[in-house]
């Protein structure tokens, strides 16, 4: 039976052998939610880069640039880290490519490179990711982007929600991290937004940008697509 | 208001500035439970060492040696990692000094050295630790020993139990880790042993040694003492 483990921080990834596994990278607030939204809105592909300089450099290749640092849009780029940047029409995104860098999300992706496949997960595409993983039947590790290496509730809840969907066909009991995430999900699932209002990260986001981002990012199955990171590009499967 | 944060793995300690904080190191199964028990049974002091070689070397200075690797007693030492080693009388411990090394616990202690004070916490002395911290009124970080760097339920539950005792005089809501631990503790507290039976670590321990260790290690307030690590020695405060 394939296993589902959860890594609570990119800083703990050295403990895991990613080979042979599918890594589901999750940064609910907001990188992976935005990536899913971008592809749903017709973005052709995204390139996750680690630095602002790399991000800006890709503008020369006709990329839209999306960058956030410490929760706010970086200077001189087209988009921030809000999924609404791909929805509000202020910047037309259909058919465009996007270079994206965020505080936590892109770092988590780059550190997950050793996995057989890197999938982008969010509540927005939770069901689609679960279906894909079930189809693949391989060991899964959910890589929580966290906040600057720290444990985050919202990414953990995604891990719990995914484990709940994949049990009992996946082993979700051999990892204490997965067991904890399942219990937290059980507690939070009746009203995820209300639960997350107490989280440190959400309160940080509240200060920095509208609360509506969070409410959007916890919607489940808004989009039926699975983004994968292949040959440097995040594309719809 | 002083804060209470929880570090889920020694591998995440580089994220924290320990200066000015009290570190409560916890390895419920079983290092810190055994240390608390040892001091309660009249051990004069313990020296946590990182390697088996250092541990054995201290035998020449009339130390009792306690060592465990991967859950079982190491070769050629006096004691393993079970608190019952200090209780069953097979090895008289009253007035003795003990050199101790374990898979996770002593490593967590050594990595916590930068803190203003390193306190040894366990369910067995939960109330005493809480009283001490309340008295001190300084920022607290609970350092979970985990299992080879991985998140562990039992150490997290201790963090949640401590946070529940110290709220509302300590800020227990600014850290997602503390919030998660509180929720897990709320779920587990009616029957901690039953809750932990599902944990990966406990099942590992079950295979390796008697289940009775776990049941003992989750008893609360069995001992009213606070071990601190000062000048290389763990002593009763």
């Amino acid at each position: 039976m394939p296993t589902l483990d959860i890594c609570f921080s990119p800083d703990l990834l050295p403990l895991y052998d990613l080979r042979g596994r599918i890594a589901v990278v999750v940064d609910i607030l907001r990188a992976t939610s935005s990536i899913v939204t971008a592809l749903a809105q017709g973005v052709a592909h995204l390139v996750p880069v680690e630095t602002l300089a790399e991000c800006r450099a890709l503008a020369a290749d006709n990329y839209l640039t999306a960058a956030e640092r410490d929760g706010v849009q970086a200077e001189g780029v087209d988009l921030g880290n809000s999924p609404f940047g791909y929805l509000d029409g202020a910047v037309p995104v259909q058919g465009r490519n996007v270079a994206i860098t965020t505080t936590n999300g892109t770092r988590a992706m780059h550190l997950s490179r050793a996995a057989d496949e890197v999938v982008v997960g969010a509540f927005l595409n939770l069901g689609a990711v679960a279906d894909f993983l079930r189809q693949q039947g391989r060991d899964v590790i959910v890589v929580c982007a966290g906040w600057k290496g720290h444990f985050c509730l919202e990414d953990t809840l995604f891990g719990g929600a995914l484990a709940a969907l994949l049990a009992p066909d996946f082993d979700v009991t051999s990892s204490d991290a997965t067991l904890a995430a399942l219990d937290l999900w059980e507690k939070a699932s009746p009203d995820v937004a209300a639960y997350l209002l107490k989280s440190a990260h959400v309160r940080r986001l509240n200060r920095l940008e509208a609360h509506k981002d969070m409410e959007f990012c916890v919607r489940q199955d808004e989009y039926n697509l699975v983004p994968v990171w292949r040959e440097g590009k995040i594309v719809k499967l």
Side-chain angles (χ1 to χ4, degrees), chain A:
Chain A
M1 189 189 300
T3 61
L4 185 148
D5 204 346
I6 303 179
C7 179
F8 284 149
S9 161
D11 294 43
L12 294 178
L13 276 173
L15 299 173
Y16 297 85
D17 185 359
L18 299 183
R19 290 168 304 175
R21 297 201 198 190
I22 299 178
V24 179
V25 175
V26 54
D27 183 7
I28 295 299
L29 299 173
R30 298 164 290 172
T32 60
S33 299
S34 291
I35 290 168
V36 170
T37 305
L39 290 170
Q41 297 307 312
V43 164
H45 74 251
L46 300 97
V47 173
V49 294
E50 295 194 73
T51 65
L52 264 170
E54 291 171 273
C55 188
R56 291 191 181 115
L58 281 165
D61 296 335
N62 203 31
Y63 276 76
L64 286 175
T65 51
E68 164 265 349
R69 282 297 180 270
D70 293 326
V72 295
Q73 180 168 336
E75 295 267 311
V77 295
D78 303 308
L79 296 154
N81 197 22
S82 168
F84 288 105
Y86 302 93
L87 289 166
D88 63 13
V91 179
V93 298
Q94 171 73 36
R96 299 294 302 272
N97 299 322
V98 178
I100 184 171
T101 180
T102 67
T103 310
N104 308 292
T106 46
R107 179 168 172 259
M109 293 196 60
H110 282 267
L111 290 172
S112 302
R113 259 177 303 211
D116 278 13
E117 183 93 82
V118 177
V119 169
V120 175
F123 284 113
L124 297 170
N125 70 337
L126 174 65
V129 169
D131 289 346
F132 172 73
L133 296 172
R134 198 182 285 281
Q135 226 170 60
Q136 296 287 312
R138 279 186 282 170
D139 289 345
V140 171
I141 179 152
V142 176
V143 179
C144 299
W147 179 262
K148 298 187 178 181
H150 289 270
F151 173 90
C152 262
L153 276 172
E154 65 275 12
D155 299 341
T156 303
L157 290 183
F158 171 86
L162 189 63
L165 280 177
L166 291 177
D169 301 326
F170 281 63
D171 172 3
V172 298
T173 68
S174 290
S175 146
D176 273 12
T178 306
L179 289 168
L182 278 164
D183 279 344
L184 293 169
W185 174 244
E186 184 185 282
K187 170 136 195 181
S189 55
D191 188 342
V192 182
Y195 184 86
L196 283 180
L197 275 179
K198 70 177 183 177
S199 104
H201 192 165
V202 167
R203 283 178 285 147
R204 191 180 301 120
L205 190 70
N206 268 330
R207 285 202 306 273
L208 295 167
E209 196 161 316
H211 180 65
K212 66 173 189 170
D213 272 15
M214 190 271 281
E215 293 199 321
F216 181 74
C217 291
V218 299
R219 283 198 210 162
Q220 286 173 48
D221 301 327
E222 195 75 9
Y223 303 121
N224 183 30
L225 64 93
V226 177
V228 292
W229 188 32
R230 288 177 179 171
E231 294 167 18
K233 296 172 180 174
I234 302 170
V235 294
K236 263 198 281 194
L237 194 67

